[in-house]
């Protein structure tokens, strides 16, 4: 059976991530709760898939990678937490702009981490992508620089550093691990990190999940978490870091287009 093109896998994953906003608008829980439910439900769904297909996570074979998998998953949970906290201090536009500096960081450090040469075209592409994020975010009018905005910017940049770190770790050290094994362990670890965060911030207070919210959460856990994360983790290993970083901008680009065309 012919193996899927990793570039196509990455395009599909990033495009699907960009459509998430269309689905979560009618889910009546906070961002933190949604992240937790997505992580846990997606891990369970992958577990069901492995069970039905009679596959087992080969812990004996990947025991050396398990601590790094758990650490990477925990970093993913902290990455989400920092972004959620950034939204409390600054606008979504500013926080998102800072968050999507992660591909720039990846490309900047790829010669050091992966011994990959940077071409002039790649440098121009990443600078144009970053400039595009600045222009569409609306931050140039200064509306996002409210009181405490620097705290939000610092938190979002911290989230970007973790995003870049997770990608780098998965590319450099977790290549031998199967994509589904990688995804289930990391999402499970991310969920464990989110539980104490939500307990400390009162995230579960007055929780009421409607049937519509429950159905949509199950849907996004499968179509916007389990499947695209498996595609993403599987595709990033054989591809150059610069390709992974630049294609990451398909996520916000898709979200931007859909917000204009569908949500007006």
């Amino acid at each position: 059976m012919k193996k899927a093109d990793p570039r196509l896998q990455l395009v599909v994953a990033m495009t699907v991530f960009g459509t998430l906003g269309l689905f979560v608008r009618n889910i009546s829980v906070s961002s933190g709760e949604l992240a937790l439910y997505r992580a846990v439900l997606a891990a369970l769904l992958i577990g069901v898939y492995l069970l039905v297909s009679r596959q087992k996570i080969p812990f004996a074979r990947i025991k050396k990678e398990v601590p790094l998998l758990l650490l990477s998953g925990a970093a993913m949970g902290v990455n989400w937490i920092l972004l959620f906290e950034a939204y409390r201090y600054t606008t979504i536009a500013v926080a998102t702009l800072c968050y999507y500096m992660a591909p720039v960081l990846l490309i900047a450090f790829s010669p050091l981490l992966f011994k990959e040469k940077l071409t002039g075209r790649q440098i121009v592409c990443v600078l144009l992508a970053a400039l595009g994020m600045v222009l569409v975010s609306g931050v140039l009018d200064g509306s996002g620089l409210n009181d405490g905005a620097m705290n939000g910017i610092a938190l979002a940049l911290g989230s970007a550093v973790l995003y870049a770190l997770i990608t780098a770790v998965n590319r450099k050290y977790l290549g031998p691990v199967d994509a589904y094994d990688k995804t289930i362990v990391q999402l499970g670890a991310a969920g464990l990190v989110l539980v104490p965060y939500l307990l400390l911030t009162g995230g579960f207070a007055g929780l009421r999940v409607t049937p519509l919210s429950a159905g949509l959460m199950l849907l996004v856990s499968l179509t916007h978490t389990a499947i695209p994360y498996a595609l993403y983790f599987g595709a990033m290993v054989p591809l150059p870091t610069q390709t992974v970083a630049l294609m990451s901008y398909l996520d916000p680009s898709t979200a931007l287009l859909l917000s204009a065309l569908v949500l007006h």
Side-chain angles (χ1 to χ4, degrees):
M1 185 175 176
K2 190 177 178 181
K3 203 168 183 180
D5 182 355
R7 284 184 177 80
L8 179 60
Q9 285 183 237
L10 194 57
V11 167
V12 171
M14 287 298 139
T15 304
V16 169
F17 284 144
T19 67
L20 181 63
L22 297 180
F23 294 86
V24 301
R25 286 167 62 85
N26 295 308
I27 297 179
S28 56
V29 297
S30 68
S31 297
E33 289 170 284
L34 178 60
L36 171 63
Y37 300 143
R38 282 179 64 200
V40 172
L41 287 172
L44 289 174
L45 287 168
I46 294 174
V48 170
Y49 166 73
L50 294 176
L51 187 65
V52 170
S53 60
R54 298 184 179 181
Q55 299 179 55
K56 293 182 179 179
I57 300 176
F59 285 112
R61 195 174 73 235
I62 64 171
K63 61 183 179 182
K64 290 183 179 179
E65 287 85 10
V66 168
L68 201 53
L69 279 168
L70 292 172
L71 186 62
S72 179
M76 189 188 302
V78 176
N79 159 47
W80 290 340
I81 290 169
L82 291 178
L83 187 59
F84 300 149
E85 288 298 306
Y87 292 149
R88 295 173 56 188
Y89 291 96
T90 188
T91 64
I92 290 178
V94 171
T96 303
L97 171 63
C98 294
Y99 183 61
Y100 278 100
M101 288 298 106
V104 178
L105 295 174
L106 262 180
I107 289 180
F109 288 101
S110 62
L112 179 65
L113 293 173
F114 306 106
K115 311 301 180 189
E116 296 175 356
K117 292 183 179 179
L118 275 175
T119 66
R121 185 173 67 174
Q122 287 167 338
I123 293 171
V124 170
C125 284
V126 76
L127 289 176
L128 286 174
L131 176 61
M133 287 295 296
V134 171
L135 293 175
V136 301
S137 69
V139 299
L140 294 179
D141 61 9
S143 59
L145 301 179
N146 50 9
D147 293 338
M150 292 308 297
N151 292 332
I153 289 170
L155 288 164
L157 287 175
S159 184
V161 170
L162 284 177
Y163 183 121
L165 181 64
I166 293 162
T167 304
V169 166
N170 274 273
R171 283 206 71 247
K172 191 173 179 67
Y173 301 107
L174 300 176
V177 184
D178 179 78
Y180 283 106
D181 298 339
K182 199 183 297 185
T183 306
I184 190 173
V185 175
Q186 290 186 100
L187 287 176
L192 288 175
V193 169
L194 286 163
V195 170
Y197 166 71
L198 288 169
L199 289 173
L200 289 171
T201 57
F204 297 110
L207 176 62
R208 287 185 178 85
V209 181
T210 65
L212 176 61
S213 291
L216 286 173
M217 273 194 287
L218 188 60
L219 177 68
V220 301
S221 296
L222 176 64
T223 60
H224 289 75
T225 312
I227 295 173
Y229 267 110
L231 291 173
Y232 177 62
F233 287 139
M236 68 168 65
V237 176
L239 292 176
T241 307
Q242 294 93 338
T243 301
V244 175
L246 285 171
M247 283 187 170
S248 296
Y249 282 110
L250 283 171
D251 177 352
S253 300
T254 303
L256 174 71
L257 287 171
L258 289 176
S259 68
L261 298 175
V262 179
L263 304 177
H264 306 294

